[in-house]
Amino acid sequence: MTAPTTVAAPAQTDAEPELLLEAQAIGVSFDGVHALDDVSIGIRSHEVFGLIGPNGAGKTTLMNVLSGFQRPTRGRTLVNGADATRWGPEKTVRHGVSRTFQAVRPFPALTVAQNVELGALGVGTRRRVAAERVDYILEALHLSHRRDDFAGKLPHGEERRLGIARALASEPQVLLLDEPAAGANEAESDELVASLRAIKAEFSCSLVVIEHDMRLIMSICERIHVLDYGRSIAEGTPAEIQANPAVREAYLGQVAEAGAGES
Ligand SMILES: Nc1ncnc2c1ncn2[C@@H]1O[C@H](COP(=O)(O)OP(=O)(O)OP(=O)(O)O)[C@@H](O)[C@H]1O
Ligand SMILES: [Mg+2]
């Protein structure tokens, strides 16, 4: 399988990791309530970056800021070193930062292929190129068998994968995924892990993944950032995060208890 088109990775110039996407000292307030307070992250090329934390910690708000959907109250965002704070979502996606939503919103009366094609056409891709790209993406997301089905008819796991396929159609350098495994059973979650690995390898992009599924997060992420009440409390490798007492206190303990309660 070969990609019809690829985004060339910018040349690495020095020993510092190249940052494709940055949030610098981000603050977001909603009516005086701090959803985010002084949060900074930097996404390197070809990495899988996890964003975790309890409900209401500010994960989706940070993803909204990074993708141009939410203007921060303080701080700035950078895309490939350029100030992107005021770009808004359309310009941000044209510059290589694409995202999925916590609640999937495919167009139900369009086919799976048409939904993916829209993701490409939306960033100005020519129709013929977009059509070629669709089949390649559907194959990577294990959705080829659904190509001509209406998106509204898909079971939950496939609907969420369609959301990823659509975001991928814009050929992002950084793909932001908000709870891609939400509502997935163990088998679907495993299939998702395989799809995310395939995306990283074949589409040569970085992934930022928000998830409560710790098995998924710990198995695919190279680095993990932890938010709690809108503040950063840790960043590190999966092993470092699992061993971090503040993270265990704020979050991992709860997840472990919830998991034990479910089984
Ligand atoms: N548009 C908004 N208006 C007012 N408050 C908001 C808005 N969006 C988010 N918030 C608040 O900001 C805080 C962070 O919310 P956010 O959705 O970013 O959390 P989250 O970490 O994604 O949580 P979850 O794991 O439940 O998805 C919460 O207190 C939430 O109620
Ligand atoms: Mg959220």
Side-chain angles (χ1 to χ4, degrees), residues 99-119 138 143 146 149-167:
R99 55 100 43 102
T100 66
F101 292 87
Q102 199 161 347
V104 188
R105 294 181 283 192
F107 296 103
L110 296 182
T111 66
V112 166
Q114 286 167 335
N115 265 276
V116 177
E117 196 173 349
L118 275 183
L138 290 179
L143 283 171
R146 294 291 195 182
D149 291 354
F150 288 116
K153 294 268 163 66
L154 293 186
H156 182 75
E158 291 182 343
E159 188 182 60
R160 294 204 72 85
R161 292 213 299 283
L162 172 57
I164 300 173
R166 203 169 58 173

Side-chain angles (χ1 to χ4, degrees), residues 70-87:
Q70 173 70 51
R71 182 82 54 87
T73 318
R74 285 172 302 281
R76 62 179 195 157
T77 58
L78 300 176
V79 174
N80 284 312
D83 192 328
T85 319
R86 295 177 165 273
W87 281 1

Side-chain angles (χ1 to χ4, degrees), residues 53-210:
N55 293 118
K59 305 178 297 296
T60 296
T61 304
L62 182 56
M63 191 165 278
N64 290 343
V65 169
L66 288 168
S67 54
F69 282 81
Q70 173 70 51
R71 182 82 54 87
T73 318
R74 285 172 302 281
R76 62 179 195 157
T77 58
L78 300 176
V79 174
N80 284 312
D83 192 328
T85 319
R86 295 177 165 273
W87 281 1
E90 287 84 15
K91 186 166 178 184
T92 306
V93 73
R94 276 191 274 113
H95 280 76
V97 178
S98 189
R99 55 100 43 102
T100 66
F101 292 87
Q102 199 161 347
V104 188
R105 294 181 283 192
F107 296 103
L110 296 182
T111 66
V112 166
Q114 286 167 335
N115 265 276
V116 177
E117 196 173 349
L118 275 183
L121 297 174
V123 290
T125 309
R126 279 178 299 127
R127 190 167 285 277
R128 189 184 58 77
V129 176
E132 280 173 21
R133 199 180 291 166
V134 166
D135 288 324
Y136 177 71
I137 291 173
L138 290 179
E139 201 177 324
L141 270 300
H142 305 123
L143 283 171
S144 300
H145 62 294
R146 294 291 195 182
R147 193 185 189 292
D148 299 317
D149 291 354
F150 288 116
K153 294 268 163 66
L154 293 186
H156 182 75
E158 291 182 343
E159 188 182 60
R160 294 204 72 85
R161 292 213 299 283
L162 172 57
I164 300 173
R166 203 169 58 173
L168 208 45
S170 66
E171 296 205 307
Q173 280 188 300
V174 184
L175 178 60
L176 310 170
L177 304 172
D178 196 352
E179 299 200 23
N185 60 33
E186 203 164 310
E188 286 168 339
S189 166
D190 286 345
E191 191 161 6
L192 184 65
V193 166
S195 294
L196 297 185
R197 290 211 169 104
I199 289 169
K200 188 191 167 199
E202 292 173 30
F203 294 83
S204 182
C205 65
S206 300
L207 302 172
V208 178
V209 185
I210 295 176

